[in-house]
Amino acid sequence: MKQFLSILALLVFTLVLLPVHSAAQKTYVYAALTDEGNIAKIDPAINKLIQRIQVGREPVSVALNADKSRLYVSNTGDITVSIVDLKDDRVSQVLRLPVNRRGIYSGVLIKNWEGTRIFVAERSETPDTDLRVYVIDTQKELVIGQFDAGKNITALSVTGDGTKIYVANAGTGITVYDSQTYQLITTIPAVDGFAGTLMGVACSPTASLAYASYGPANKLQIMSTESDKQTSVLDMPKYHTGSQKDITFSPDGRYAFVINHKNVLKDIDGINVIDAAKNEVLKIFNSGEVMKGLAVTDDNKIAYIASKDLKWYSLVTLEHIRSISLRTTLGGIAVVNR
């Protein structure tokens, strides 16, 4: 009996010393269903849309807070931002932007790299309207600031060091603001002759580098975020032309992904993949027409792309992995592991 108790005690002691392993994390993709006014929760492991979360009118841009527990959604059909609690997948709060003018709607929404601030631009259907950008504190879940940011805001981005905000103003160029004081630092002129087609801007998270796209001009403006000046212009090569729109960097800064819409039969609807170290176009993902939806996993291994389908691509081989057909208009997307 004593021998049995000794063995039992040894087993219990061994179990206590064994490391505790948490349950394996699952990957979920949250996608804005723009026409429906919903956010879709998608489980890529089983290839299914498992839940719809009702938000506001015409949701497009989405962004995550620092610990990825909440999703911020710009409802472009009104002047609100929905905050979705991802622990129970429900809207926990709706922030109404302090807009005091008619004809103004929520527009482009981004986060800083830390996820502590959300920046939301106004949108207007009148091109000569002066617009503002609102700043949301993701801990307080409150609008804590705003600043005038020019006309025709088509894109926003925060520099990798977090000190500046780049604003794409079609017809003008890229205006640069201090991220703490919101004061205008400078304006980077648009590529000569193409100011009116300025579409996207994105800053690298790891280098003093930014790109701006110019729609059907088939040019990518390359800028230094240290000097806030243009360094060169990349002409899109054959088989990669069309209209270049939104730009997204991978978290490690290795790749930039540029949405491409075809203008003529030979063009391709998809995503141009740029080697950011060489400023070189590597490939185009033939994903179909993408509105805004592209997100990269934190480990930089997979890119999820939303057209009419949700598709995912390996960033190791740059090849297509799988697709799920959703047959609806998809806006921005975000990837969460938990």
Side-chain angles (χ1 to χ4, degrees):
M1 183 67 177
K2 287 183 180 180
Q3 185 179 9
F4 171 76
L5 291 174
S6 297
I7 293 171
L8 182 62
L10 180 61
L11 285 171
V12 170
F13 181 71
T14 303
L15 289 171
V16 168
L17 291 180
L18 284 174
V20 177
H21 296 281
S22 59
Q25 288 190 323
K26 290 200 66 173
T27 297
Y28 296 101
V29 177
Y30 290 85
L33 304 180
T34 302
D35 292 343
E36 299 181 13
N38 292 323
I39 296 293
K41 180 182 180 181
I42 299 160
D43 185 344
I46 59 174
N47 243 38
K48 285 186 178 180
L49 191 163
I50 57 176
Q51 186 176 346
R52 280 178 165 85
I53 306 162
Q54 186 173 5
V55 286
R57 294 173 54 198
E58 300 176 23
V60 176
S61 298
V62 300
L64 294 161
N65 69 332
D67 65 2
K68 299 189 175 183
S69 63
R70 294 188 299 280
L71 183 74
Y72 289 74
V73 184
S74 174
N75 301 309
T76 65
D78 54 39
I79 53 172
T80 64
V81 172
S82 296
I83 304 175
V84 180
D85 186 333
L86 300 185
K87 292 176 182 176
D88 53 12
D89 294 320
R90 65 177 182 83
V91 174
S92 60
Q93 188 175 348
V94 178
L95 292 178
R96 187 183 187 279
L97 301 180
V99 175
N100 55 9
R101 296 164 294 156
R102 292 179 179 273
I104 298 294
Y105 305 90
S106 297
V108 180
L109 175 150
I110 63 162
K111 68 180 182 68
N112 63 357
W113 290 106
E114 297 81 14
T116 57
R117 295 287 186 272
I118 298 290
F119 300 93
V120 193
E122 292 179 337
R123 179 181 70 85
S124 173
E125 294 173 356
T126 306
D128 61 349
T129 302
D130 290 316
L131 302 174
R132 298 174 187 145
V133 171
Y134 299 93
V135 187
I136 299 171
D137 184 310
T138 60
Q139 290 185 318
K140 298 177 180 177
E141 295 189 348
L142 293 172
V143 176
I144 60 167
Q146 60 180 275
F147 60 95
D148 296 330
K151 300 176 173 64
N152 295 321
I153 299 174
T154 57
L156 304 170
S157 187
V158 178
T159 56
D161 62 7
T163 61
K164 301 171 186 175
I165 306 163
Y166 273 43
V167 180
N169 300 104
T172 305
I174 294 92
T175 47
V176 183
Y177 297 84
D178 185 292
S179 65
Q180 297 300 313
T181 65
Y182 313 132
Q183 295 298 307
L184 177 66
I185 298 172
T186 189
T187 298
I188 304 172
V191 172
D192 286 346
F194 298 104
T197 64
L198 175 59
M199 291 296 301
V201 69
C203 301
S204 167
T206 58
S208 299
L209 171 70
Y211 291 141
S213 60
Y214 284 82
N218 288 302
K219 294 180 183 294
L220 204 65
Q221 185 178 26
I222 304 170
M223 297 162 287
S224 165
T225 58
E226 185 175 358
S227 65
D228 301 317
K229 294 181 183 297
Q230 174 182 305
T231 57
S232 60
V233 176
L234 172 65
D235 290 310
M236 300 304 290
K238 189 178 181 181
Y239 307 120
H240 296 268
T241 56
S243 285
Q244 291 81 51
K245 298 182 179 293
D246 277 20
I247 308 168
T248 303
F249 274 90
S250 57
D252 62 2
R254 181 180 181 185
Y255 297 121
F257 304 94
V258 185
I259 293 175
N260 195 75
H261 288 183
K262 71 178 181 180
N263 292 329
V264 296
L265 190 60
K266 67 180 180 63
D267 295 337
I268 296 173
D269 281 323
I271 304 292
N272 277 311
V273 184
I274 313 292
D275 182 328
K278 299 178 180 178
N279 295 324
E280 179 183 324
V281 183
L282 297 178
K283 186 167 185 171
I284 188 164
F285 292 151
N286 189 2
S287 59
E289 186 174 336
V290 177
M291 179 193 294
K292 207 173 189 65
L294 192 148
V296 179
T297 54
D298 287 340
D299 62 8
N300 300 286
K301 290 183 178 179
I302 296 175
Y304 290 91
I305 299 169
S307 53
K308 288 289 184 182
D309 303 328
L310 179 68
K311 299 184 178 183
W312 43 110
Y313 290 79
S314 167
L315 296 186
V316 177
T317 64
L318 297 182
E319 298 295 336
H320 176 249
I321 299 172
R322 199 186 307 168
S323 303
I324 172 174
S325 179
L326 298 174
R327 297 180 182 179
T328 187
T329 302
L330 298 177
I333 61 175
V335 181
V336 177
N337 294 314
R338 68 170 187 271

